[in-house]
Short mmCIF file of all heavy atoms in Angstrom, two decimals:
data_model
loop_
_atom_site.label_atom_id
_atom_site.label_comp_id
_atom_site.label_asym_id
_atom_site.label_seq_id
_atom_site.Cartn_x
_atom_site.Cartn_y
_atom_site.Cartn_z
N MET A 113 133.68 101.87 118.37
CA MET A 113 133.92 100.73 117.51
C MET A 113 132.69 100.53 116.64
O MET A 113 131.56 100.56 117.09
CB MET A 113 134.20 99.47 118.34
CG MET A 113 134.42 98.26 117.48
SD MET A 113 134.60 96.73 118.40
CE MET A 113 136.27 96.88 118.99
N LYS A 114 132.89 100.34 115.36
CA LYS A 114 131.79 100.12 114.43
C LYS A 114 131.33 98.67 114.49
O LYS A 114 132.11 97.77 114.63
CB LYS A 114 132.21 100.42 113.00
CG LYS A 114 132.45 101.86 112.71
CD LYS A 114 132.73 102.07 111.25
CE LYS A 114 132.93 103.52 110.93
NZ LYS A 114 133.16 103.73 109.51
N GLU A 115 130.01 98.53 114.36
CA GLU A 115 129.46 97.19 114.30
C GLU A 115 129.51 96.72 112.85
O GLU A 115 129.36 97.51 111.92
CB GLU A 115 128.00 97.19 114.75
CG GLU A 115 127.82 97.35 116.23
CD GLU A 115 126.40 97.17 116.66
OE1 GLU A 115 125.68 96.35 116.02
OE2 GLU A 115 125.98 97.81 117.59
N ALA A 116 129.71 95.44 112.65
CA ALA A 116 129.73 94.90 111.30
C ALA A 116 128.33 94.91 110.75
O ALA A 116 127.36 94.65 111.44
CB ALA A 116 130.27 93.46 111.32
N THR A 117 128.21 95.27 109.47
CA THR A 117 126.92 95.27 108.83
C THR A 117 126.66 93.89 108.25
O THR A 117 127.49 93.36 107.53
CB THR A 117 126.89 96.31 107.69
OG1 THR A 117 127.20 97.59 108.24
CG2 THR A 117 125.53 96.35 107.03
N LYS A 118 125.51 93.35 108.59
CA LYS A 118 125.14 92.03 108.09
C LYS A 118 124.20 92.18 106.92
O LYS A 118 123.16 92.82 107.01
CB LYS A 118 124.47 91.25 109.21
CG LYS A 118 124.12 89.84 108.82
CD LYS A 118 123.47 89.09 109.98
CE LYS A 118 123.08 87.69 109.53
NZ LYS A 118 122.42 86.96 110.62
N LEU A 119 124.59 91.64 105.78
CA LEU A 119 123.74 91.68 104.60
C LEU A 119 122.81 90.48 104.61
O LEU A 119 123.23 89.38 104.95
CB LEU A 119 124.58 91.67 103.33
CG LEU A 119 125.52 92.86 103.14
CD1 LEU A 119 126.34 92.68 101.88
CD2 LEU A 119 124.72 94.15 103.07
N ILE A 120 121.57 90.72 104.23
CA ILE A 120 120.63 89.61 104.15
C ILE A 120 120.10 89.54 102.73
O ILE A 120 120.10 90.52 101.97
CB ILE A 120 119.46 89.75 105.14
CG1 ILE A 120 118.69 91.06 104.85
CG2 ILE A 120 119.95 89.73 106.54
CD1 ILE A 120 117.39 91.14 105.61
N THR A 121 119.66 88.37 102.36
CA THR A 121 119.07 88.17 101.04
C THR A 121 117.57 88.03 101.22
O THR A 121 117.11 87.24 102.06
CB THR A 121 119.64 86.89 100.39
OG1 THR A 121 121.05 87.04 100.32
CG2 THR A 121 119.07 86.70 98.99
N LEU A 122 116.83 88.76 100.44
CA LEU A 122 115.36 88.69 100.48
C LEU A 122 114.85 87.87 99.33
O LEU A 122 115.18 88.15 98.18
CB LEU A 122 114.74 90.09 100.42
CG LEU A 122 115.14 91.05 101.55
CD1 LEU A 122 114.51 92.42 101.28
CD2 LEU A 122 114.72 90.52 102.89
N ASP A 123 114.01 86.86 99.64
CA ASP A 123 113.40 86.09 98.54
C ASP A 123 112.13 86.79 98.09
O ASP A 123 111.79 87.86 98.58
CB ASP A 123 113.17 84.64 98.97
CG ASP A 123 112.13 84.48 100.06
OD1 ASP A 123 111.35 85.42 100.33
OD2 ASP A 123 112.05 83.39 100.65
N ARG A 124 111.44 86.21 97.14
CA ARG A 124 110.27 86.87 96.57
C ARG A 124 109.18 87.07 97.61
O ARG A 124 108.47 88.07 97.61
CB ARG A 124 109.75 86.13 95.35
CG ARG A 124 109.20 84.74 95.64
CD ARG A 124 108.78 84.05 94.34
NE ARG A 124 108.37 82.68 94.62
CZ ARG A 124 107.14 82.29 94.90
NH1 ARG A 124 106.18 83.21 94.92
NH2 ARG A 124 106.84 81.04 95.15
N HIS A 125 109.01 86.11 98.55
CA HIS A 125 108.02 86.29 99.62
C HIS A 125 108.39 87.43 100.53
O HIS A 125 107.55 88.25 100.89
CB HIS A 125 107.86 84.98 100.44
CG HIS A 125 107.10 83.90 99.74
ND1 HIS A 125 107.59 82.63 99.65
CD2 HIS A 125 105.92 83.91 99.10
CE1 HIS A 125 106.73 81.90 98.98
NE2 HIS A 125 105.71 82.64 98.62
N ASP A 126 109.66 87.51 100.92
CA ASP A 126 110.14 88.58 101.78
C ASP A 126 109.87 89.95 101.15
O ASP A 126 109.38 90.88 101.79
CB ASP A 126 111.63 88.46 102.08
CG ASP A 126 111.99 87.22 102.85
OD1 ASP A 126 111.13 86.61 103.50
OD2 ASP A 126 113.18 86.83 102.79
N GLN A 127 110.21 90.08 99.89
CA GLN A 127 110.04 91.34 99.18
C GLN A 127 108.56 91.72 99.12
O GLN A 127 108.19 92.87 99.32
CB GLN A 127 110.64 91.26 97.79
CG GLN A 127 112.14 91.16 97.79
CD GLN A 127 112.74 90.90 96.41
OE1 GLN A 127 112.00 90.61 95.44
NE2 GLN A 127 114.05 90.98 96.32
N ARG A 128 107.71 90.72 98.83
CA ARG A 128 106.26 91.00 98.72
C ARG A 128 105.69 91.37 100.07
O ARG A 128 104.85 92.29 100.17
CB ARG A 128 105.57 89.75 98.15
CG ARG A 128 104.11 89.92 97.91
CD ARG A 128 103.85 90.71 96.62
NE ARG A 128 102.42 90.73 96.38
CZ ARG A 128 101.70 91.83 96.24
NH1 ARG A 128 102.29 92.99 96.20
NH2 ARG A 128 100.41 91.77 96.07
N ILE A 129 106.12 90.69 101.13
CA ILE A 129 105.64 91.03 102.48
C ILE A 129 106.00 92.46 102.84
O ILE A 129 105.14 93.24 103.28
CB ILE A 129 106.26 90.06 103.53
CG1 ILE A 129 105.68 88.65 103.35
CG2 ILE A 129 106.05 90.56 104.94
CD1 ILE A 129 106.46 87.57 104.10
N LEU A 130 107.26 92.85 102.61
CA LEU A 130 107.68 94.21 102.95
C LEU A 130 106.94 95.26 102.12
O LEU A 130 106.55 96.29 102.63
CB LEU A 130 109.19 94.31 102.80
CG LEU A 130 109.99 93.51 103.77
CD1 LEU A 130 111.50 93.59 103.45
CD2 LEU A 130 109.76 93.95 105.21
N THR A 131 106.73 94.97 100.87
CA THR A 131 105.98 95.90 100.00
C THR A 131 104.57 96.07 100.49
O THR A 131 104.07 97.22 100.62
CB THR A 131 105.98 95.40 98.54
OG1 THR A 131 107.33 95.34 98.07
CG2 THR A 131 105.16 96.31 97.65
N LEU A 132 103.88 94.99 100.79
CA LEU A 132 102.49 95.08 101.27
C LEU A 132 102.41 95.80 102.60
O LEU A 132 101.49 96.56 102.85
CB LEU A 132 101.86 93.70 101.35
CG LEU A 132 101.47 93.08 100.01
CD1 LEU A 132 101.06 91.62 100.17
CD2 LEU A 132 100.33 93.87 99.37
N LEU A 133 103.36 95.54 103.50
CA LEU A 133 103.34 96.22 104.79
C LEU A 133 103.60 97.70 104.65
O LEU A 133 103.02 98.51 105.39
CB LEU A 133 104.39 95.59 105.72
CG LEU A 133 104.01 94.20 106.28
CD1 LEU A 133 105.18 93.62 107.04
CD2 LEU A 133 102.77 94.28 107.14
N GLN A 134 104.42 98.09 103.67
CA GLN A 134 104.64 99.51 103.44
C GLN A 134 103.37 100.18 102.91
O GLN A 134 103.04 101.30 103.24
CB GLN A 134 105.77 99.74 102.46
CG GLN A 134 107.12 99.48 103.07
CD GLN A 134 108.25 99.61 102.06
OE1 GLN A 134 108.06 99.41 100.85
NE2 GLN A 134 109.43 99.91 102.55
N GLN A 135 102.63 99.45 102.05
CA GLN A 135 101.42 100.00 101.45
C GLN A 135 100.22 99.95 102.39
O GLN A 135 99.38 100.84 102.37
CB GLN A 135 101.08 99.22 100.17
CG GLN A 135 102.10 99.38 99.07
CD GLN A 135 101.88 98.44 97.91
OE1 GLN A 135 101.09 97.50 97.98
NE2 GLN A 135 102.57 98.69 96.81
N GLN A 136 100.14 98.87 103.17
CA GLN A 136 98.99 98.64 104.04
C GLN A 136 99.47 98.29 105.44
O GLN A 136 99.39 97.12 105.86
CB GLN A 136 98.13 97.51 103.49
CG GLN A 136 97.68 97.68 102.07
CD GLN A 136 97.02 96.44 101.52
OE1 GLN A 136 96.41 95.67 102.25
NE2 GLN A 136 97.11 96.23 100.23
N GLY A 137 99.96 99.24 106.18
CA GLY A 137 100.59 99.00 107.43
C GLY A 137 99.71 98.34 108.50
O GLY A 137 100.20 97.75 109.44
N ARG A 138 98.41 98.43 108.34
CA ARG A 138 97.49 97.87 109.34
C ARG A 138 96.83 96.57 108.87
O ARG A 138 95.88 96.13 109.47
CB ARG A 138 96.43 98.93 109.70
CG ARG A 138 97.05 100.16 110.33
CD ARG A 138 96.05 101.13 110.82
NE ARG A 138 95.12 100.61 111.79
CZ ARG A 138 95.33 100.53 113.10
NH1 ARG A 138 96.47 100.94 113.60
NH2 ARG A 138 94.43 100.03 113.91
N ILE A 139 97.39 95.93 107.86
CA ILE A 139 96.87 94.68 107.38
C ILE A 139 97.03 93.59 108.45
O ILE A 139 98.03 93.58 109.16
CB ILE A 139 97.55 94.27 106.05
CG1 ILE A 139 96.81 93.13 105.37
CG2 ILE A 139 99.01 93.94 106.28
CD1 ILE A 139 97.31 92.86 103.94
N THR A 140 96.04 92.70 108.56
CA THR A 140 96.15 91.63 109.54
C THR A 140 97.07 90.52 109.04
O THR A 140 97.34 90.39 107.83
CB THR A 140 94.77 90.99 109.82
OG1 THR A 140 94.31 90.32 108.69
CG2 THR A 140 93.77 92.05 110.30
N ASN A 141 97.54 89.71 109.96
CA ASN A 141 98.41 88.59 109.62
C ASN A 141 97.70 87.64 108.65
O ASN A 141 98.31 87.21 107.67
CB ASN A 141 98.81 87.83 110.90
CG ASN A 141 99.80 86.74 110.62
OD1 ASN A 141 100.87 86.97 110.12
ND2 ASN A 141 99.44 85.51 110.97
N ASN A 142 96.44 87.37 108.90
CA ASN A 142 95.69 86.45 108.03
C ASN A 142 95.50 87.01 106.62
O ASN A 142 95.65 86.31 105.63
CB ASN A 142 94.34 86.11 108.63
CG ASN A 142 94.44 85.20 109.83
OD1 ASN A 142 95.45 84.52 110.02
ND2 ASN A 142 93.42 85.16 110.65
N GLU A 143 95.20 88.29 106.52
CA GLU A 143 95.03 88.94 105.21
C GLU A 143 96.35 88.96 104.44
O GLU A 143 96.40 88.68 103.25
CB GLU A 143 94.50 90.36 105.36
CG GLU A 143 93.09 90.45 105.85
CD GLU A 143 92.69 91.89 106.17
OE1 GLU A 143 93.54 92.70 106.58
OE2 GLU A 143 91.48 92.18 106.05
N LEU A 144 97.42 89.27 105.15
CA LEU A 144 98.73 89.31 104.53
C LEU A 144 99.15 87.91 104.06
O LEU A 144 99.62 87.74 102.91
CB LEU A 144 99.77 89.86 105.52
CG LEU A 144 101.19 90.05 105.00
CD1 LEU A 144 101.24 90.95 103.76
CD2 LEU A 144 102.07 90.62 106.10
N ALA A 145 98.93 86.92 104.88
CA ALA A 145 99.26 85.55 104.52
C ALA A 145 98.50 85.12 103.26
O ALA A 145 99.07 84.47 102.35
CB ALA A 145 98.94 84.60 105.67
N GLU A 146 97.23 85.48 103.19
CA GLU A 146 96.42 85.12 102.02
C GLU A 146 96.95 85.79 100.76
O GLU A 146 97.05 85.15 99.72
CB GLU A 146 94.96 85.55 102.26
CG GLU A 146 94.02 85.11 101.17
CD GLU A 146 92.58 85.48 101.50
OE1 GLU A 146 92.15 85.27 102.65
OE2 GLU A 146 91.88 85.97 100.57
N GLN A 147 97.32 87.06 100.85
CA GLN A 147 97.82 87.79 99.67
C GLN A 147 99.19 87.28 99.24
O GLN A 147 99.51 87.32 98.05
CB GLN A 147 97.88 89.28 99.97
CG GLN A 147 96.50 89.90 100.05
CD GLN A 147 96.55 91.42 100.11
OE1 GLN A 147 97.43 92.04 99.55
NE2 GLN A 147 95.59 92.01 100.78
N ILE A 148 100.01 86.80 100.19
CA ILE A 148 101.35 86.32 99.86
C ILE A 148 101.32 84.90 99.35
O ILE A 148 102.15 84.47 98.58
CB ILE A 148 102.27 86.39 101.12
CG1 ILE A 148 102.42 87.81 101.59
CG2 ILE A 148 103.63 85.78 100.86
CD1 ILE A 148 103.06 88.75 100.62
N GLY A 149 100.31 84.12 99.84
CA GLY A 149 100.21 82.72 99.44
C GLY A 149 100.91 81.79 100.41
O GLY A 149 101.38 80.72 100.06
N LEU A 150 101.00 82.24 101.68
CA LEU A 150 101.57 81.44 102.75
C LEU A 150 100.51 81.17 103.79
O LEU A 150 99.51 81.90 103.89
CB LEU A 150 102.75 82.15 103.42
CG LEU A 150 104.01 82.43 102.60
CD1 LEU A 150 104.96 83.29 103.39
CD2 LEU A 150 104.66 81.14 102.19
N SER A 151 100.73 80.17 104.62
CA SER A 151 99.85 79.98 105.80
C SER A 151 100.18 81.07 106.79
O SER A 151 101.31 81.62 106.80
CB SER A 151 100.08 78.60 106.41
OG SER A 151 101.33 78.54 107.04
N PRO A 152 99.24 81.39 107.69
CA PRO A 152 99.53 82.40 108.69
C PRO A 152 100.75 82.03 109.57
O PRO A 152 101.54 82.89 109.92
CB PRO A 152 98.25 82.45 109.53
CG PRO A 152 97.18 82.09 108.55
CD PRO A 152 97.81 81.03 107.69
N ALA A 153 100.92 80.75 109.89
CA ALA A 153 102.08 80.31 110.69
C ALA A 153 103.38 80.51 109.95
O ALA A 153 104.37 80.98 110.52
CB ALA A 153 101.89 78.85 111.12
N ALA A 154 103.40 80.18 108.66
CA ALA A 154 104.61 80.35 107.86
C ALA A 154 104.94 81.83 107.71
O ALA A 154 106.12 82.22 107.75
CB ALA A 154 104.44 79.71 106.49
N LEU A 155 103.93 82.67 107.55
CA LEU A 155 104.15 84.11 107.46
C LEU A 155 104.75 84.65 108.74
O LEU A 155 105.70 85.43 108.71
CB LEU A 155 102.83 84.83 107.14
CG LEU A 155 102.94 86.36 107.14
CD1 LEU A 155 103.80 86.83 105.98
CD2 LEU A 155 101.59 86.97 107.11
N LEU A 156 104.21 84.22 109.87
CA LEU A 156 104.73 84.68 111.17
C LEU A 156 106.19 84.28 111.34
O LEU A 156 107.01 85.10 111.78
CB LEU A 156 103.89 84.13 112.30
CG LEU A 156 104.21 84.63 113.70
CD1 LEU A 156 104.07 86.12 113.78
CD2 LEU A 156 103.30 83.95 114.72
N ALA A 157 106.53 83.06 110.96
CA ALA A 157 107.92 82.61 111.08
C ALA A 157 108.83 83.42 110.16
O ALA A 157 109.95 83.79 110.57
CB ALA A 157 108.01 81.14 110.72
N THR A 158 108.37 83.75 109.00
CA THR A 158 109.14 84.57 108.06
C THR A 158 109.36 85.98 108.63
O THR A 158 110.49 86.48 108.61
CB THR A 158 108.44 84.66 106.69
OG1 THR A 158 108.30 83.36 106.17
CG2 THR A 158 109.19 85.55 105.73
N CYS A 159 108.31 86.56 109.19
CA CYS A 159 108.44 87.92 109.73
C CYS A 159 109.34 87.95 110.95
O CYS A 159 110.07 88.91 111.15
CB CYS A 159 107.05 88.47 110.07
SG CYS A 159 106.05 88.83 108.61
N LYS A 160 109.31 86.90 111.75
CA LYS A 160 110.21 86.84 112.92
C LYS A 160 111.65 86.79 112.46
O LYS A 160 112.54 87.32 113.13
CB LYS A 160 109.89 85.63 113.78
CG LYS A 160 108.68 85.82 114.65
CD LYS A 160 108.46 84.65 115.56
CE LYS A 160 107.25 84.85 116.44
NZ LYS A 160 107.03 83.73 117.35
N GLY A 161 111.90 86.20 111.30
CA GLY A 161 113.25 86.13 110.78
C GLY A 161 113.77 87.49 110.36
O GLY A 161 115.01 87.69 110.28
N PHE A 162 112.92 88.45 110.09
CA PHE A 162 113.35 89.79 109.72
C PHE A 162 114.12 90.46 110.87
O PHE A 162 115.00 91.27 110.65
CB PHE A 162 112.17 90.70 109.35
CG PHE A 162 111.50 90.33 108.04
CD1 PHE A 162 110.18 90.69 107.83
CD2 PHE A 162 112.17 89.67 107.04
CE1 PHE A 162 109.53 90.40 106.66
CE2 PHE A 162 111.53 89.36 105.85
CZ PHE A 162 110.21 89.71 105.66
N GLY A 163 113.76 90.11 112.10
CA GLY A 163 114.39 90.73 113.25
C GLY A 163 115.77 90.18 113.60
O GLY A 163 116.44 90.69 114.45
N ARG A 164 116.18 89.15 112.93
CA ARG A 164 117.47 88.54 113.25
C ARG A 164 118.59 89.18 112.54
O ARG A 164 118.62 89.74 111.55
CB ARG A 164 117.46 87.05 112.89
CG ARG A 164 116.47 86.32 113.75
CD ARG A 164 116.52 84.85 113.47
NE ARG A 164 115.30 84.28 114.06
CZ ARG A 164 114.81 83.15 113.70
NH1 ARG A 164 115.36 82.45 112.75
NH2 ARG A 164 113.74 82.70 114.29
#
């Protein structure tokens, strides 16, 4: 049985986070948050949402 594919919408922060992680895979949470313009806590919550 096939699983249903769930489509997600990426906002500008999501797209920027994924781009930076592809370019700099070992970047720290704090560095990434600073480059994105989010607090480290907000960035972590956003990244946790990617797994859902």
Side-chain angles (χ1 to χ4, degrees):
M113 179 185 283
K114 290 185 178 182
E115 287 188 33
T117 302
K118 183 179 178 182
L119 297 178
I120 60 170
T121 303
L122 300 176
D123 66 15
R124 65 183 175 91
H125 285 130
D126 296 341
Q127 292 173 350
R128 184 78 174 123
I129 290 166
L130 293 174
T131 298
L132 285 171
L133 287 173
Q134 286 176 333
Q135 294 171 348
Q136 305 171 29
R138 298 185 58 85
I139 192 170
T140 67
N141 185 59
N142 288 341
E143 291 171 330
L144 183 57
E146 185 176 317
Q147 290 189 32
I148 299 297
L150 294 174
S151 70
L155 175 67
L156 186 59
T158 299
C159 290
K160 283 184 179 181
F162 290 155
R164 294 183 195 159

